Amino acid sequence: MEISELGEFGLIERLAREIEVKNEGTVKGIGDDCAVLAPTAGMRTVVTTDLLVEGVHFDLSYVPLLHLGYKAVMVNLSDIFAMNARPRQLTVSLAISSKFCVEDIEALYDGMRKACTKWGVDIVGGDTTSSLTGLCISITAIGEARPEDIVLRSGARPNDLVCVSGNLGAAYMGLQLLEREKVIYDQQVADLRKRMGDAKAKGDTSELTALNAQLSTLSQPDFSGREYLLERQLKPEARGDIITVLQQAGIHPTSMMDVSDGLSSELLHICRQSQTGCRIYEERLPLDYQTAAMAEELNLNVSTCALNGGEDYELLFTVPLEQNDAVQALEDIRVIGYITDADKGCALITRDGGEFALKAQGWNPLKKE
Amino acid sequence: MEISELGEFGLIERLAREIEVKNEGTVKGIGDDCAVLAPTAGMRTVVTTDLLVEGVHFDLSYVPLLHLGYKAVMVNLSDIFAMNARPRQLTVSLAISSKFCVEDIEALYDGMRKACTKWGVDIVGGDTTSSLTGLCISITAIGEARPEDIVLRSGARPNDLVCVSGNLGAAYMGLQLLEREKVIYDQQVADLRKRMGDAKAKGDTSELTALNAQLSTLSQPDFSGREYLLERQLKPEARGDIITVLQQAGIHPTSMMDVSDGLSSELLHICRQSQTGCRIYEERLPLDYQTAAMAEELNLNVSTCALNGGEDYELLFTVPLEQNDAVQALEDIRVIGYITDADKGCALITRDGGEFALKAQGWNPLKKE
């Protein structure tokens, strides 16, 4: 169904139909000039926002809209968790070009709803409009935390341990894989189209029929054995579970942020805002086997990918040295280094003992290459 | 300066430099994964968001970036006021194409800061990224109100008076004026260019010089006497003053929303959500003299413009009949009709006593014409 058949209000009504409010704190959701929320007494509110633009942040030739919706929400929830807070509500604004139909937007919303359901978050409002080119998604997420629980980027102190959840670089490898297969697939299509043109010019109808059949059955790339990398890229999970684990273990990070632009970039943010330096050990970087295998296949340095890859949506945090035993006992969390005085700078210690200054080579969409 | 010289973080730093936090409730502004807010005890939080897309919502050939920034904020504050709430914070996300320089974005931000300063609002966060085409602005505004003060769209009751602040249709007339002058100006440029091409072909250098001089001094349109219409279109003011006036007069609206898509469209929202009908009198529609004069010049029905024009950002609200005297005593507020039972429908009573069903012919960016 074409979106123009429904118009803005019809589309919103259709999308809002399936949205149920789950939080006590959501007094009024979609349908008025504003959403109305009742903050829990004594709690702080945290707010984050992200803008995703087609062609810059996602390529719809290999990103299904369902996954895109899921990811768009998760990247915002990740920022809420990075404050040691809990997400409660979000607003979704979409600018939609005429190439999308109602079912496309429903698929996108379905993905967003799935991500929200996972973390008990209410979609409470938004804006839906047209776009001259492509899709644009703006999400604002709202969360809550007790004042004493909130963790900023600026609280790291010398001798604190630097920790990271999960593993790094896999989402970047997933992207490389998708991009590579896209190029191969596009090339195959272009070759077939060219041969079909030649056959047509020659009037060779049997050749044309054969090529047409080849085109229609042109196989999608085989990603078997690489599913984990694709999942990390297409369907990342915000690490709310880590927040719970730390709380249960009585560990209160001194600083925290999520790894969206790459570990190096995030470490530099924490150190700059905390006025410290850091030492990170290459051998301690958490890597999945598939990430290492893919890096080798693509002839990339896997440590560089882990440091600068981005989109891992893991949590990077620091804890006081005294909590070493407590943090080492936790699953899926790795101590990768420690915080130093600012004058020591931020460095990576390589496997052979070399020391290299960390650089923010991750995602920076406005920076000149 | 090119934006790529600064990159995302450099640009944010530069823009954030001039931002001062004014609200006690703003604990932490720009610079972490989330902004941190301390809601006032016992208050409700209200949240609204708007997405503005170049070529759909604004035309930079006649909208200065300073005004665009101002307006982008005001349209969000207007939604906060429409809940009978007070704005406190907002987040700003921008997708910027390479045609913009740092100074452009600073002008845009300058306009946003001016609007925020006027209403004591803090810019607490956002996202800045690149775009393949044009400018995209997403703003989320957060406000507060006492639970008992909040006014929804759904509270109108039969016999309530329908009131509107200010006047209607002027912003639409301003847009018509700007669009008309743009066409004329573009035509003049095209004509001169064509004549220059002819002169060049003939080798008539003196004619070419003369035409070149004409082109460089081609006058911008003269808008004198029409300033009010332009201001209503380019620099709308959210009516926070009306909220204060109503409060001081002890008037609590039963329903309220702001007029952004056109009076008819908004009245239909209020009546549908309140399960009522309404009668509105054409002769009561508040019009500015310039709106009427411009409508005549353009051969448009001024009432149609007032009903469907949109972008007025006035407040439309209902009050109980008993408050007739109180509301009539207020400046800049006009009673334009009354609420009926739902089965009476929503109608306009014309000057000659005719009755016409109200239709939502206002702004609906996704609807087929």
Side-chain angles (χ1 to χ4, degrees), chain B residues 241-268:
Chain B
D241 58 327
I242 296 292
I243 298 304
T244 305
V245 162
L246 291 175
Q247 199 169 25
Q248 286 169 347
I251 296 170
H252 185 79
T254 50
S255 71
M256 183 154 60
M257 70 184 293
D258 72 328
V259 182
S260 55
D261 298 333
L263 181 68
S264 290
S265 171
E266 319 304 15
L267 272 170
L268 290 170

Side-chain angles (χ1 to χ4, degrees), chain B residues 13 81 87 90 147 155 163 190 197 206 239 242 284 308 318 325 350 359 361:
Chain B
E13 212 164 284
F81 291 132
L90 56 83
C163 310
S206 68
R239 300 305 305 265
I242 296 292
R284 301 291 304 156
N308 301 319
T318 55
D325 292 350
T350 57
K359 280 183 196 158
Q361 291 173 313

Side-chain angles (χ1 to χ4, degrees), chain B residues 63-335:
Chain B
V63 176
L65 285 160
L66 181 75
H67 285 104
L68 180 62
Y70 191 87
K71 182 170 175 173
V73 169
M74 279 296 171
V75 304
N76 278 282
L77 302 191
S78 182
D79 278 321
I80 301 274
F81 291 132
M83 302 299 286
N84 204 24
R86 293 288 170 181
R88 298 280 184 245
Q89 291 94 7
L90 56 83
T91 63
V92 177
S93 293
L94 301 176
I96 307 166
S97 71
S98 57
K99 73 177 173 188
F100 296 97
C101 65
V102 172
E103 290 74 15
D104 289 334
I105 306 306
E106 285 184 323
L108 183 74
Y109 245 75
D110 197 20
M112 294 196 288
R113 263 199 312 273
K114 281 192 168 65
C116 285
T117 300
K118 176 152 189 175
W119 291 106
V121 173
D122 294 329
I123 298 177
V124 296
D127 192 12
T128 309
T129 188
S130 55
S131 139
L132 299 181
T133 54
L135 179 64
C136 191
I137 307 171
S138 175
I139 293 183
T140 300
I142 295 172
E144 282 194 327
R146 292 186 306 176
E148 62 272 27
D149 285 345
I150 284 179
V151 180
L152 302 178
R153 296 176 179 179
S154 53
R157 295 292 165 259
N159 301 320
D160 282 358
L161 301 172
V162 176
C163 310
V164 68
S165 66
N167 62 71
L168 301 172
Y172 178 74
M173 284 303 162
L175 182 63
Q176 300 310 308
L177 185 60
L178 286 162
E179 292 276 4
R180 184 182 70 172
E181 296 303 324
K182 183 191 173 187
V183 170
I184 293 171
Y185 184 82
D186 288 352
Q187 190 55 52
Q188 286 177 331
V189 171
D191 287 349
L192 280 172
R193 288 253 158 80
K194 190 185 172 302
R195 287 170 60 195
M196 285 163 77
D198 294 346
K200 208 170 175 181
K202 283 187 208 147
D204 186 344
T205 53
S206 68
E207 168 79 353
L208 196 60
T209 311
L211 290 169
N212 227 328
Q214 270 189 57
L215 183 65
S216 66
T217 58
L218 195 61
S219 61
Q220 291 292 324
D222 176 13
F223 290 125
S224 62
R226 301 286 162 76
E227 293 84 354
Y228 179 70
L229 301 179
L230 295 185
E231 196 172 304
R232 291 285 284 179
Q233 170 57 225
L234 296 174
K235 194 170 165 289
E237 295 291 348
R239 300 305 305 265
D241 58 327
I242 296 292
I243 298 304
T244 305
V245 162
L246 291 175
Q247 199 169 25
Q248 286 169 347
I251 296 170
H252 185 79
T254 50
S255 71
M256 183 154 60
M257 70 184 293
D258 72 328
V259 182
S260 55
D261 298 333
L263 181 68
S264 290
S265 171
E266 319 304 15
L267 272 170
L268 290 170
H269 279 299
I270 283 186
C271 288
R272 188 174 56 80
Q273 293 182 240
S274 300
Q275 298 178 282
T276 65
C278 69
R279 288 292 170 281
I280 301 300
Y281 294 89
E282 184 184 10
E283 64 186 5
R284 301 291 304 156
L285 295 175
L287 301 167
D288 185 81
Y289 167 76
Q290 284 190 32
T291 308
M294 191 71 212
E296 195 165 316
E297 189 179 322
L298 296 175
N299 205 18
L300 293 169
N301 180 318
V302 69
S303 298
T304 307
C305 298
L307 285 167
N308 301 319
E311 294 201 278
D312 295 311
Y313 300 107
E314 294 295 343
L315 290 172
L316 170 68
F317 56 96
T318 55
V319 300
L321 183 57
E322 307 85 80
Q323 297 200 294
N324 186 28
D325 292 350
V327 81
Q328 296 279 7
L330 299 176
E331 265 181 54
D332 212 22
I333 290 174
R334 180 83 66 92
V335 176

Side-chain angles (χ1 to χ4, degrees), chain A residues 266-284:
Chain A
E266 319 304 15
L267 272 169
L268 290 170
H269 279 298
I270 283 185
C271 288
R272 189 174 56 81
Q273 293 182 236
S274 300
Q275 298 178 282
T276 65
C278 70
R279 288 293 171 278
I280 302 301
Y281 294 89
E282 184 184 11
E283 63 187 5
R284 302 289 304 154

Side-chain angles (χ1 to χ4, degrees), chain A residues 31 37 45 133 138 140 273 364, chain B residues 8 31 37 45 133 138 140 273:
Chain A
L37 317 178
T45 299
T133 53
S138 174
T140 300
Q273 293 182 236
N364 193 341
Chain B
E8 178 180 0
L37 316 179
T45 300
T133 54
S138 175
T140 300
Q273 293 182 240

